[in-house]
Amino acid sequence: MRPRGGGSWIIAWAVAALVAGIALTGCAARSFDPLPLRPEPIAYADTLLIPEPEERAERRKLRALLVHGPLQLAEPFDPGEGESLNLTHDDDVVSSAWWERRVGYRRITPEDLALGPTSAENAPATSGPLEIKSVKTDGVTPGFTMKDANGHTYIVKFDPPGLMHLTSAAGVIGNRLMWGMGFHVPEDYVTEFDFSRLVVDEDATIEELGVERPLTIEDLRTLLERTEPIEGERYLAFASLYLPGVPKGPFFFEGRRDDDPNDYFDHQHRRELRALWVFSSWINDTDMREGNTLDVYVKPGYLRHYLIDFGATMGSSSTRSKHRKDETERPIDLYRFIGRIATLGLYKQPWEDHPVEPLGPALGFMYGEGFDPDSWKSSWTNPAFQDMTDADSYWAAKILAAFTDEQIRGAVGAGGFSDHRSADTLTALLRLRRDRIVEYYYERVSTVEEPIVARQHAGSLQLSFKDLGIDQHVWTPGETTYDWRFRDPARRLGGSGSAQPRSMPEQMLDVSWTGSGGNGGGSDQLATLEITTRRPGFSPDPATVFLRWEGEGYRVVGIAHGDARK
Amino acid sequence: MSHIRPALRTSLVHCLALFVVLALPAQRLAAQDLDDAEKKEAAIVIARADSARATLVQPPGSKGLTPATLVRAPFRAVGAGLALVAGAGYGVYRVLDKTGTIRFVKQTNRDLRANDIRVRLKTIGSRSGLALLGRWDGARPFFVEGGISMGSYSLARAGLAFGDTLNGVELAAGLRRQAQLHFWGIGNDSREEDVSDYEHAMREAAVRGHVRVLPHVRVGGGAGWEADRADRGNDAMAPDVQDVFAGALPFGAVGTHRFMRADANLDLDFTSVGGPFQLRGVRLVTDWSGFRGVDESDPDFQIASTDLRVYLPLNSRHAFALRGYAADAFGESNGDVPIYYLATAGGSEGLRGQKGYRLRDRAALIGMAEWRYQVWWHPGDPIYRVDAFAFVDHGAVGSSLGSIESTDFLTTPGIGIRFVSHGLTQVETFLAFGGDATPRIGFKLGASF
């Protein structure tokens, strides 16, 4: 017979076991050397040749049960996995089969960004027949697979009725901006065609009431009734060129792909995948999930990892305009669901009290002035997003800060809006959201970059660096104070102090110390200089500059931002 | 504009890595496109790539077991459990799909519809379990319908039907057999442990009609003949009424009675679905039935009930819903009201903390109040949503409405959720307290009210 209170006894033991487990795991968890003492990741090391992997499926429902649901439930208790692993000594990321250095790293003109990965040669032909290979009959809007006169094959989609440009423009603009941010994306185009150019491939079929039959031109006419022509029988369409290689299914945001020997870093520890949260929040890509990614086996024989389908970015939700809810609450938000039940419906979110007012049929809705980077949510829980640290988000914010207004206008121009007002409004919204993101994530770390020891004497040194917060006019020098703390445990030196910034891009910090000194240290013993950029009303975690004693002086060997645990 | 300092050493290793890649022959390695010689060459190329990869010195690529892993583990275990259950269901579906069963059922359904036969899954009565019902309308106005349930309930009817759901007349004859209805005794003080079962089979021939006399007012009426037979039930888990109540067997619990009957009905319906798919308004439904025994051993009696429902939205997300229900019997002669025509309380028809039909007597008085609120919805797609509701049910039975005392009432509060489509509840489930078995979990297709 079970003693009274057996249930609570078991619960108490379960909680105690969990706490003990976490404590033990914390102790046993793998600890890492400071960033500059680890090897650096090698650019494009994951483009070495591999045998052709098998294609795999997303299995969305299964992943919802095994990954998305559990992670969402664990969210309030989740300590996160800590720092990313694919970092250089400068707290940066190298180019790879996942991501490449573009905006912020090399010169990209607005015209370059308007083109993104596309080219005039690969754009859908403006004349000649368009051969329809297959059709999508389910869903609100129609879709084709189409081959043009140049022999290129495209996936073609259309805007919802009455919302011309909504999905097509979002798809192309999102594509260009995501390319600029560094990700591999397909060649997406906005195109126009006359119905008279359509021909049906003799092998194309259509399913009707569970029975397949040959596709006819009349079927196409019926399908196109679900969209709206520009005029007469002329249509506007979004066309995505088939990716150059063999599709191998989506990539996942945690773990590695077993059949890809190049897949070295756990995906949830890749900074670019974690920071995709910030990038997605900028273009309002609420549908960022495994199903919108694709691994492609490309020449000469490795997997390149693509992000695809940006039709649900900006103010578009693919088949309708977005609502305030879309970017602030997941479609299934379990804790808010429980919160509403438990409070008898008294709990509510700000979006509930505001009717949706689309910016226009071509733009849908996305927040501008009301945009809050902290409360932005993608529709799907994402393991990599869950592990994003302040340093990861700051890295992404630096890239967004590098997007000029002209580049944004260039990307928006690729959307093919038929009126200037839509393009102007969207450009303004993207600028506003970029600035909000930059300000928000710059607040969370000390924005120290490019540190160099400018001069040094016995007992002191002068450090030159950039303060991005001041450099990019987020704050003024008058609003900022630098608190610094120097430690060299090997040489038993230490010191601390405060300083004011200068009114010029290059900042100088005089650092002095006291202690026993000596020639201690070595390759595995580093000194650290923690610099906190104190701003009005907040004091973020410091940036840590790593210094190595080289007999006659210190040399900067690396930098890390924020607390590696959060 | 490049504020991100390119690291020199990173560029160097970048070049090195590129050299390694480009030094290898650039060729397609898709296995299916290669002949044997090419496969051999590809294997060599890949082996060289593997060697190159093995020489790379990179930072750690994994963290192993971390506190976050442990925190997430129990939630993942729950997810895995659900996936296992869902996987089993999916497995069954796949088997049905692979064997062509689903296609066969769909095709059969299409063929049946083409021949004016509609097949549905429903219930036939209390405790019937899922029933398969079919109706043929191929020679209108003539119709035939029939069905059988998992609980061995059955239904068979045929007749003529004219008109539609607003204005119509039906002349029909049929049989309905309910094989295991539960009975606990008569009155509020009936005991849970006296649960028992009986079978009720009704044969009838009747004409019924209804007409909408005003936009919100519908009246109905009918007359006919019926024979009701009560016998031992077939629920193996419950003893029979004839055994449990052998000393004081309720009237009609055994044997057959025949009646001529007349019905009248008034439905004042001022409800509507408006705004963001919210039910609002008032509905009053009043029913009367009079029974006259055919033989000397058959009783005469009348039963009447009135059901008032009020739906009061407070805003787009919250609403009050109220229901009052009263039923009474009168005019008995030559016997009592048979067991199967007694008023009842319990279940989702009223007093949700108790099982359906738990309380029976000649009269019943029930009040139900609900605070309804939306818990999941999307304003961009408002057709589907999930509502929650907190409720209090208050009810009692008695020998007459006048005899029900305030101390007789049982109160059963609870909470539940509903899936709503187009403003109408499709399915609901709730947790109710205060009944025999607390908490009681209820499930219902459609709304309680």
Side-chain angles (χ1 to χ4, degrees), chain B residues 166-180:
Chain B
L166 291 178
N167 302 296
V169 178
E170 182 189 87
L171 182 66
L175 164 74
R176 184 163 93 152
R177 175 174 168 266
Q178 300 178 88
Q180 44 175 290

Side-chain angles (χ1 to χ4, degrees), chain A residues 463-485:
Chain A
L463 190 84
S464 152
F465 65 93
K466 268 188 183 173
D467 178 347
L468 284 192
I470 292 174
D471 201 35
Q472 295 175 351
H473 309 294
V474 181
W475 295 281
T476 62
E479 293 174 315
T480 304
T481 303
Y482 299 133
D483 295 331
W484 60 267
R485 191 160 74 131

Side-chain angles (χ1 to χ4, degrees), chain B residues 277-290:
Chain B
F277 294 105
Q278 272 209 320
L279 185 60
R280 63 189 70 219
V282 180
R283 186 174 186 185
L284 177 71
V285 180
T286 304
D287 288 300
W288 168 87
S289 294

Side-chain angles (χ1 to χ4, degrees), chain A residues 6 9 68 90 113 171 205 251 345 382 395 508 544:
Chain A
W9 183 81
H68 302 299
D90 298 315
L113 203 65
T205 58
F251 66 75
N382 184 313
W395 174 80
M508 285 291 180
T544 305

Side-chain angles (χ1 to χ4, degrees), chain B residues 127 180-183 194-198 233-241 243-244:
Chain B
R127 300 181 47 73
Q180 44 175 290
L181 295 163
H182 275 184
F183 181 74
D194 287 340
V195 62
S196 55
D197 81 318
Y198 67 97
N234 69 359
D235 182 3
M237 305 299 288
D240 200 86
V241 169
D243 301 325
V244 176

Side-chain angles (χ1 to χ4, degrees), chain A residues 211-277:
Chain A
V211 180
E212 266 196 13
R213 62 167 177 77
L215 181 71
T216 67
I217 198 76
E218 281 312 309
D219 293 327
L220 296 180
R221 200 181 292 280
T222 307
L223 276 173
L224 283 170
E225 284 171 5
R226 293 194 215 156
T227 186
E228 192 181 355
I230 303 167
E231 58 178 0
E233 289 200 321
R234 188 163 181 78
Y235 292 91
L236 179 83
F238 166 88
S240 185
L241 182 67
Y242 264 26
L243 284 164
V246 189
K248 295 296 170 189
F251 66 75
F252 300 142
F253 288 91
E254 65 177 349
R256 304 180 214 179
R257 193 167 170 145
D258 294 336
D259 53 4
D260 178 8
N262 286 330
D263 201 7
Y264 180 76
F265 294 101
D266 281 347
H267 299 175
Q268 73 271 27
H269 299 318
R270 286 191 159 274
R271 170 168 281 179
E272 64 274 32
L273 291 187
R274 293 177 173 195
L276 189 53
W277 181 359

Side-chain angles (χ1 to χ4, degrees), chain A residues 23-41:
Chain A
L24 286 173
T25 313
C27 297
R30 196 169 169 189
S31 62
F32 296 105
D33 288 329
L35 206 51
L37 296 182
R38 297 178 220 163
E40 288 195 300

Side-chain angles (χ1 to χ4, degrees), chain A residues 21 40 44 49 52 78 81 83 92 94 254 256 262 264 266 300 325-326 331 341 344-345 352 387 450, chain B residues 3-4 9-10 14 27 30 45 53 59 61-63 66 70 72 76 79 317-318 371 373 376-378:
Chain A
E40 288 195 300
Y44 295 109
L49 274 65
E52 184 175 355
D78 199 335
E81 295 273 14
E83 64 183 328
D92 205 347
V94 297
E254 65 177 349
R256 304 180 214 179
N262 286 330
Y264 180 76
D266 281 347
K325 181 182 181 184
D326 286 306
I341 291 178
L344 302 181
E352 296 175 29
D387 289 333
E450 301 178 25
Chain B
H3 55 259
I4 302 166
R9 56 187 172 276
T10 302
H14 180 170
Q27 60 180 282
V45 169
R53 193 178 296 112
S62 178
K63 292 192 174 182
T66 63
L70 203 66
R72 294 168 186 175
R76 285 185 191 267
R317 290 182 48 220
H318 303 94
W371 168 245
Y373 52 100
W376 179 85
W377 74 106
H378 195 294

